[in-house]
Amino acid sequence: MRSVRVELRPEDADRATVAWRNGLEVAVHGDVEPYGTGVRTREVRAFVVRPS
């Protein structure tokens, strides 16, 4: 498992927060690039909360 920083639109960030609080997974489609010692996803083209 790996942590990835994701730049989301405000409305998607709210949905991601609710998903995290409920232990749900999210799927993100975008461009991954190095960021410090990790990676981040920018230019997000799709964001969905996966059903449990």
Side-chain angles (χ1 to χ4, degrees):
M1 187 179 287
R2 184 173 188 171
S3 203
V4 177
R5 181 179 205 92
V6 179
E7 295 181 4
L8 295 172
R9 299 176 303 171
E11 59 271 24
D12 289 338
D14 291 342
R15 290 175 49 218
T17 300
V18 171
W20 176 77
R21 287 182 182 150
N22 291 303
L24 301 174
E25 289 185 5
V26 298
V28 179
H29 182 230
D31 299 329
V32 177
E33 62 184 31
Y35 183 75
T37 59
V39 294
R40 71 176 167 187
T41 303
R42 298 183 70 193
E43 303 296 326
V44 172
R45 292 180 283 288
F47 172 85
V48 294
V49 176
R50 291 188 173 171
S52 55

